[in-house]
Amino acid sequence: MAVQSVGVIGAGQMGNGIAHVFAVAGYDVLLTDISRDALDKAIALIDRNLERQVSRDKITPEVKATAMGHIRTTQTLADLGQCDLVIEAATERETVKQAIFEDLVPHLKPETILTSNTSSISITRLASRTDRPEKFMGFHFMNPVPVMQLVELIRGIATDEPTYKTLHAVVEKLGKTSATAEDFPAFIVNRILMPMINEAVYTLYEGVGSVSSIDSAMKLGTNHPMGPLELADFIGLDTCLAIMNVLHDGLADTKYRPCPLLTKYVEAGWLGRKTDRGFYDYRGETPVPTR
């Protein structure tokens, strides 16, 4: 089926980035969130990020103006019912996502494709709570969405071929590259990335190295653009912990046990950049390691 209208659920870090790239690609975007303030902040951020792309000659001022004209907002979830494609980008908690789909499904037209931007939760299980498991897929964008080129396409056990082909074509129209993953905990990217971050936290926890020495070692020793602890702060330590718990619960292997120090930071509310403290303290002019 042809996709022209796209509903995005959640106006946070991922949702506003997804709305941004779809609008630039010419899709009509309806962005929803329970918070009017979150929607207003998302629109302002999209405008700033598009302006940054204009200043770097990535897009023209005309493309920016057209893209902003493609985005509408609503606080009413049911308004997304007539969209061709819906992308859920809410908090990485399964109960929250299930509640959203249960509220939305009665308002959808029969041909609408449902997707989740989840980074780790079972697509098959989420799909089973809807009326269209054959038209349900994982549609996992990387953060920051306007910059990162990869989209993971994850089929549930019931996902049909037309749905997969439709989303594969959508990714191409966005100018991004897709990687197809099977529906196992954390898929491809986070199955590999999160245990590395968790091991970096263990390295800190056990006193093998400090925050700065661990990050410097990985940046200079393996040519990573960001150290693993700096990257964890960027992703959000609550998200990292949630994914590690999905891996640990889903695969029942002790190698995925979340580091107690990661749990302690999350319990303290030190979640990284979004709370101004994580493995680094961001409240001053330059980030300062917290250990």
Side-chain angles (χ1 to χ4, degrees):
M1 64 173 284
V3 172
Q4 181 51 44
S5 56
V6 179
V8 180
I9 302 170
Q13 189 169 243
M14 297 302 294
N16 75 66
I18 292 168
H20 173 143
V21 298
F22 271 91
V24 170
Y27 292 94
D28 297 319
V29 178
L30 183 56
L31 179 63
T32 186
D33 198 284
I34 56 173
S35 164
R36 170 46 58 186
D37 185 52
L39 288 169
D40 292 342
K41 286 180 178 177
I43 293 299
L45 182 59
I46 292 168
D47 187 81
R48 287 200 303 274
N49 287 339
L50 286 167
E51 188 57 41
R52 186 179 294 117
Q53 287 183 311
V54 170
S55 69
R56 294 174 179 173
D57 294 323
K58 300 286 187 183
I59 60 173
T60 65
E62 292 75 22
V63 168
K64 178 197 168 183
T66 302
M68 289 302 297
H70 276 301
I71 304 173
R72 294 181 298 121
T73 63
T74 180
Q75 287 180 264
T76 305
L77 187 63
D79 289 348
L80 273 62
Q82 293 305 302
C83 292
D84 302 322
L85 167 65
V86 173
I87 305 166
E88 171 274 314
T91 304
E92 189 68 358
R93 290 208 303 272
E94 188 165 351
T95 53
V96 172
K97 294 177 186 296
Q98 287 176 344
I100 287 170
F101 289 128
E102 285 171 6
D103 288 346
L104 177 63
V105 159
H107 306 284
L108 294 176
K109 58 184 183 179
E111 62 270 26
T112 298
I113 293 175
L114 269 181
T115 68
S116 176
N117 183 58
T118 178
S119 53
S120 61
I121 296 168
S122 167
I123 299 304
T124 297
R125 200 161 59 236
L126 289 174
S128 72
R129 302 294 289 268
T130 75
D131 65 344
R132 61 197 67 208
E134 72 287 348
K135 290 187 177 298
F136 194 109
M137 276 193 72
F139 206 29
H140 181 215
F141 289 81
M142 307 295 133
N143 184 40
V145 181
V147 175
M148 301 295 278
Q149 288 300 302
L150 182 71
V151 182
E152 284 184 313
L153 294 179
I154 305 102
R155 301 185 198 224
I157 196 169
T159 305
D160 63 24
E161 191 66 17
T163 298
Y164 170 77
K165 286 184 175 177
T166 297
L167 290 185
H168 191 275
V170 167
V171 173
E172 287 188 342
K173 187 175 177 183
L174 294 176
K176 296 188 181 296
T177 300
S178 61
T180 304
E182 293 300 316
D183 185 24
F184 288 98
F187 320 130
I188 295 172
V189 172
N190 284 314
R191 172 77 177 262
I192 297 167
L193 174 64
M194 285 303 157
M196 185 196 78
I197 287 175
N198 194 52
E199 196 62 30
V201 183
Y202 267 115
T203 305
L204 178 66
Y205 177 61
E206 293 168 5
V208 179
S210 65
V211 169
S212 57
S213 62
I214 292 165
D215 277 352
S216 294
M218 292 304 290
K219 283 192 284 189
L220 300 176
T222 62
N223 210 27
H224 289 191
M226 296 172 76
L229 301 175
E230 181 186 5
L231 179 57
D233 276 358
F234 181 76
I235 294 167
L237 304 193
D238 52 340
T239 300
C240 294
L241 179 60
I243 295 170
M244 286 309 301
N245 281 325
V246 166
L247 281 164
H248 192 230
D249 295 344
L251 297 171
D253 191 325
T254 55
K255 73 180 180 181
Y256 298 116
R257 182 171 67 96
C259 179
L261 184 60
L262 178 60
T263 302
K264 185 179 289 188
Y265 269 71
V266 173
E267 287 174 345
W270 291 18
L271 308 181
R273 285 182 177 271
K274 61 187 172 185
T275 58
D276 285 332
R277 274 193 291 187
F279 292 113
Y280 293 85
D281 188 326
Y282 300 93
R283 293 173 297 175
E285 286 187 17
T286 58
V288 177
T290 54
R291 288 179 86 85

